[in-house]
Amino acid sequence: MMPGLSVVCSAVIVLFGAVCSVFIFCEYLIYYAAILQCGWPGIDHGAPAAEKSADGQPNAEVLRALVLSDPHLLGAVGGHWFDKLRREWQMERAFQTALALLRPEVVFILGDVFDEGKWSSPKNWEDDVCRFQKMFRHPSDTELVVLVGNHDIGFHYEMDWFKLQRFEKAFNTTSTRMVTKKGVNFLLVNSMALHGDGCPICQSVEKQLYTLSRNLNCSLLQHYPLYRVSDAGCTGRDAAPPEERHLLFREKYDVLSQEASHRLLQWFKPRLVLSGHTHSGCQVLHDNRYTEISVPSFNWRNRNNPSFILGSFSPSGYGLSKCFLPEESTVIALYCSTGASLLLLPLVVWIRGLLQCITFCPISKHKSL
């Protein structure tokens, strides 16, 4: 084989190997690299020492729950096909990797499953549900519990029985539901039905909540956060950007009303509140007693560093930890650096060939006259 041809072949092999390696890492292995750094927390809130194993990890009687929020699967109207393909692939790989490595017993999704559920046609709705079921498929020993969000059925003024019942049928849920596993109670609430204006859906939900209103030692799960003025007190890697933290929240739109929040806290006295909706992380202490964790969006379209919560629960205590997924900026940087290297490689090969030619090619010598 000629030296020049050998150099070209070597370059092609290097190019092909580099592209395949980067692609496999960015689209598969990077999720393992990120989630392998996560682990189930020990119980550090309220539980006696007997519920912890010697190494601080929860024992077999402790319930392991994974909590995520706001997947926002794009719809047929506003969702570009490539955007849908990219975001859904990212969420599917992240979720399936988390299931394989962490093996939770229950998964909670805190609403806004879809981006356009509030106006989806029956055909588009069925298509969206099928895509969701494929992305968030799970083994039979893992229970998937889905809450309703404002993008699924609309804000309070858009909500109606048809959209609510369509959602409840698709996900086998109701606006008010108590989920109990291993003696641990989780109260699931439809946030859009807590406006207190006497709408038929609101009356139905409030009646069910009132029936349940007793000290259940439960964790409260809903889409809207409880009332807070802003995210000014929120910190951490997944908090809202500094320029957004001091923006005032609107009651019944960004957060629940003060009245509805007060009712929920007084009726149930929850040991923990988990919410979504804001797409950013935050920890709030209400009335110096009730801890609320806002769970960020699971969709890279909404933030550069999605995350989810890992919770270890027992009847008397709980522990939480946060698991961060790969940052999209890291993936983009890897692809860009690889692309730049691929563009430079032919130039390097050409220069190398030129130098070889200068060094080894015979120089014609002519007899002088």
Side-chain angles (χ1 to χ4, degrees), residues 110-113 147-155 167 190 192 223-224:
L110 304 181
D112 278 1
V113 175
L147 283 73
V148 66
N150 57 288
H151 275 265
D152 300 316
I153 61 172
F155 286 97
F167 184 91
N190 176 359
M192 286 66 67
H223 182 63
Y224 280 3

Side-chain angles (χ1 to χ4, degrees), residues 189-203:
V189 180
N190 176 359
S191 300
M192 286 66 67
L194 297 177
H195 280 28
D197 62 354
C199 77
I201 296 177
C202 300
Q203 288 181 329

Side-chain angles (χ1 to χ4, degrees), residues 313-328:
F313 294 89
S314 74
S316 57
Y318 67 89
L320 302 176
S321 65
K322 189 164 290 184
C323 185
F324 283 90
L325 298 174
E327 294 188 358
E328 188 164 48

